[in-house]
Amino acid sequence: MTIKETIRKKLRNFLWLQPAQGHSIDIQEFYDFDANAFRNRMWVRGDPYELEQFFKNAGAGNASFWSSVPQIPIHKLHSGLPSMMVNVMSSIVCRDYNGLELSARESDWDNIIKDNNFSKLLYMAIKETITVGDGAFKLSNDPSLSDYPIIEYYPGDRVDFKYRRGRLMETVFKTVYRKPTKGQYVLYEHYGYGYIRYVLRDAATGDPVGLDTLEETAGLFDIGLFGYQEDENGKPLQRSDVMLAVPLQFQDSSKWDGRGESLIDKKEPAFDALDEILSQWTDAVRSGRPIRYIPTCLSPRDSKGELIPPNSFDNTYIKIGDDLSENGKNEIKVVQPEINSTNYLESYVTFLDLCLQGFMSPSTLGIDTKKLDNAEAQREKEKTTLYTRNIIIEGLQKALPKLVNATIMAYEAFNGRSKPTGEIEVNVNFGEYASPSFEAMVEVLSKAKTANLMSVETIVDELYGDSKDDDWKAEEVKRLKEELGIGEMPEDDELYNVEGGTQDDLSNTG
């Protein structure tokens, strides 16, 4: 063997990689989906008393500000930022909502949404979905309340979804009934394709009980929609494509398959730290009040000559002994500690940005952390809000057409029709957000028209968007063309047909 072959063999043996040994790592989740939804709901409720109770009972550890129990009492403050984020974002989307355009049954839909106060329902659905992660619209019938289908929205902590091979097969709505004498029960409403089933269970044991156990559920019974039938084993003999439940979610969860993810998930550390900074700042302000050192002879007294005891707010002082020396002088000394507000402010701004990061711009909430931003810079920051708004709108544009079709089908099914109507085409309209001012639009579009880069039709459409209907914009285009002298020329027959004459008549004149 030559030296070259020996070196090659040694290198081959040196570079031989042994396969890695398998590892088994078990990680325990701290929250399940329902507990995580409840935690987010506590943040949005924004009550410091409730927040402290939740995190202490949850056992998040002393590292968390809200779960800590300091030996020296501290006034724990909550910024209220999560509630403002969710409420403002929900209001932005609802304000830009311009209704639905239906290819048929538009009058029935108008009556249904008026009966259900749909604008308020949509706002609550968006707010709950942002907070919890997902949810579902439920359609039910109650002739004692309305002649139309009743639309309700159940947040994700009151809904379960059953999937088969990645496809939704059933939506289960959960309603809790608490009775002082009978205990606690949970009603499970199983909404599937072509059927609705009701199961009432004892919350303590999980065993099913009769629907007549409670007055609220005594009148419920299983129903099939549009001829749905089952055999003795519960297998469908005749399937249906109608489900009177419409799920809603804005983004998929990274922890729970088939569920949605809250838009404020993973923000808990930032919310907790922001509240800690506010509380420490407030405590520093309280501790930094001026302290008066008053000799006994000068101490404040009441009408009886008794010393007035100091308190933490309106009468703060420390009593000291009198100066009885030969050249002594009794005087009141005032000492005020220095509060480093700059460091607190910088920390506050940093964690405020972390709380809003990826959700919305501080400008959306009216917060100017830089103090020097002009209008253009503020508008650029609004892009973060625009991205989140688009995520919500995309989810609504998928769910609302399904809701319209399911509602119309429910209306027909509850009125005894045996066949569902055909699918209705639905267009969801939303306006623009954070668009340039009308004056700025006119300036830009006029430059484009001068350079012959845009037609009159395009300019009118860009200028007014969804704020005007198509008929109005068509009339505006016609008027502008007439004023510019570029109106459409009439047809030849119309041009020569003057007072009943013909083209030949006009050609023979003069």
Side-chain angles (χ1 to χ4, degrees):
M1 181 181 295
T2 63
I3 297 178
K4 191 174 184 179
E5 292 177 349
T6 303
I7 295 175
R8 185 183 295 111
K9 182 178 180 181
K10 289 184 177 181
L11 286 175
R12 189 185 301 116
N13 294 335
F14 176 75
L15 295 175
W16 178 258
L17 299 178
Q18 296 292 333
Q21 299 295 325
H23 294 82
S24 177
I25 302 175
D26 296 329
I27 298 177
Q28 182 178 357
E29 294 181 349
F30 192 72
Y31 296 112
D32 60 4
F33 182 84
D34 291 341
N36 184 74
F38 187 77
R39 178 195 63 174
N40 292 341
R41 198 181 296 281
M42 288 295 101
W43 282 116
V44 175
R45 285 171 66 95
D47 190 334
Y49 182 69
E50 295 177 353
L51 281 170
E52 189 170 15
Q53 289 184 82
F54 172 78
F55 284 104
K56 285 182 178 178
N57 293 328
N62 290 329
S64 170
F65 169 69
W66 281 108
S67 63
S68 63
V69 184
Q71 295 182 354
I72 301 176
I74 182 174
H75 185 197
K76 292 187 176 182
L77 300 179
H78 178 55
S79 64
L81 186 64
S83 178
M84 287 189 289
M85 292 165 58
V86 173
N87 291 335
V88 171
M89 183 58 68
S90 302
S91 299
I92 288 174
V93 176
C94 289
R95 186 176 61 249
D96 295 338
Y97 172 69
N98 293 330
L100 305 173
E101 294 181 0
L102 280 64
S103 60
R105 308 292 295 273
E106 190 167 358
S107 60
D108 290 336
W109 173 249
D110 291 338
N111 293 330
I112 292 172
I113 62 176
K114 185 182 298 182
D115 182 72
N116 285 275
N117 194 3
F118 188 73
S119 58
K120 181 179 180 181
L121 178 67
L122 182 62
Y123 173 80
M124 294 304 299
I126 295 173
K127 180 179 176 181
E128 291 286 351
T129 307
I130 293 176
T131 303
V132 175
D134 59 20
F137 292 97
K138 186 185 79 170
L139 301 171
S140 57
N141 182 35
D142 192 343
S144 63
L145 296 177
S146 174
D147 295 331
Y148 299 100
I150 296 176
I151 307 176
E152 300 174 270
Y153 185 78
Y154 280 59
D157 51 350
R158 298 177 57 193
V159 181
D160 284 332
F161 300 104
K162 294 184 178 180
Y163 291 89
R164 182 185 301 168
R165 298 183 183 274
R167 300 185 179 185
L168 179 65
M169 301 304 297
E170 198 174 67
T171 303
V172 184
F173 299 95
K174 299 177 290 185
T175 305
V176 179
Y177 294 97
R178 295 179 176 87
K179 299 295 180 179
T181 57
K182 296 183 179 181
Q184 184 170 307
Y185 297 88
V186 182
L187 175 65
Y188 295 87
E189 302 175 75
H190 298 257
Y191 276 62
Y193 287 100
Y195 65 87
I196 301 176
R197 299 193 188 98
Y198 299 96
V199 179
L200 183 64
R201 296 182 181 274
D202 190 329
T205 62
D207 298 329
V209 297
L211 293 174
D212 55 356
T213 304
L214 301 178
E215 181 182 356
E216 293 85 351
T217 60
L220 299 177
F221 54 89
D222 298 346
I223 62 174
L225 304 172
F226 302 114
Y228 177 85
Q229 296 179 358
E230 295 181 347
D231 59 13
E232 298 177 353
N233 299 323
K235 294 183 179 180
L237 297 175
Q238 181 176 347
R239 294 184 178 274
S240 174
D241 296 331
V242 179
M243 179 188 289
L244 302 187
V246 180
L248 175 64
Q249 68 179 50
F250 300 142
Q251 58 185 9
D252 296 330
S253 174
S254 57
K255 296 181 66 176
W256 298 284
D257 293 336
R259 302 307 301 258
E261 184 174 78
S262 169
L263 298 183
I264 63 171
D265 263 349
K266 304 177 179 66
K267 294 288 186 181
E268 178 185 325
F271 291 153
D272 188 82
L274 184 65
D275 290 344
E276 183 175 0
I277 293 171
L278 288 175
S279 301
Q280 287 184 349
W281 197 349
T282 304
D283 190 61
V285 171
R286 177 176 296 182
S287 301
R289 290 176 177 171
I291 301 176
R292 295 179 296 169
Y293 293 89
I294 305 177
T296 304
C297 62
L298 301 178
S299 299
R301 300 176 184 270
D302 58 16
S303 58
K304 297 181 180 180
E306 300 292 335
L307 290 176
I308 300 176
N311 57 64
S312 302
F313 292 95
D314 59 351
N315 188 28
T316 304
Y317 71 92
I318 296 177
K319 186 180 67 172
I320 59 177
D322 298 333
D323 189 353
L324 301 179
S325 61
E326 181 177 357
N327 297 322
K329 184 179 180 181
N330 292 311
E331 59 181 359
I332 299 175
K333 296 181 180 180
V334 180
V335 178
Q336 182 173 7
E338 181 181 356
I339 302 174
N340 198 344
S341 300
T342 303
N343 291 342
Y344 283 115
L345 180 59
E346 291 177 354
S347 301
Y348 170 79
V349 171
T350 300
F351 280 95
L352 177 65
D353 289 340
L354 289 176
C355 292
L356 298 176
Q357 194 174 60
F359 188 89
M360 65 168 47
S361 165
S363 306
T364 307
L365 297 176
I367 302 173
D368 184 10
T369 57
K370 301 301 182 182
K371 305 298 182 183
L372 297 175
D373 290 344
N374 54 26
E376 184 177 356
Q378 296 282 0
R379 193 177 299 116
E380 285 296 318
K381 290 183 177 180
E382 288 290 318
K383 288 184 177 180
T384 305
T385 304
L386 182 62
Y387 296 150
T388 306
R389 170 187 173 272
N390 289 342
I391 291 175
I392 298 174
I393 288 178
E394 288 175 3
L396 292 175
Q397 287 177 335
K398 295 178 182 178
L400 291 183
K402 296 179 181 179
L403 177 63
V404 172
N405 282 277
T407 304
I408 298 299
M409 291 180 182
Y411 184 47
E412 295 184 346
F414 296 155
N415 286 309
R417 299 187 181 181
S418 58
K419 293 184 179 180
T421 184
E423 185 175 356
I424 300 173
E425 295 183 2
V426 181
N427 184 26
V428 186
N429 295 324
F430 282 93
E432 299 296 329
Y433 172 74
S435 58
S437 62
F438 190 82
E439 294 80 4
M441 291 280 291
V442 170
E443 182 180 356
V444 173
L445 294 176
S446 61
K447 292 180 180 179
K449 181 65 179 70
T450 304
N452 295 324
L453 298 177
M454 299 179 72
S455 64
V456 177
E457 291 83 356
T458 305
I459 290 175
V460 171
D461 187 64
E462 289 290 335
L463 189 60
Y464 295 100
D466 294 330
S467 60
K468 301 293 184 181
D469 57 25
D470 293 337
D471 294 336
W472 187 94
K473 288 189 284 189
E475 291 292 331
E476 183 70 7
V477 169
K478 182 179 179 181
R479 185 185 65 81
L480 289 175
K481 286 186 174 181
E482 290 176 353
E483 293 181 355
L484 294 173
I486 55 175
E488 297 181 358
M489 295 295 294
E491 298 291 338
D492 292 341
D493 294 340
E494 297 177 359
L495 181 64
Y496 295 111
N497 189 11
V498 180
E499 295 182 356
T502 62
Q503 183 175 356
D504 294 336
D505 296 335
L506 293 177
S507 62
N508 294 328
T509 60

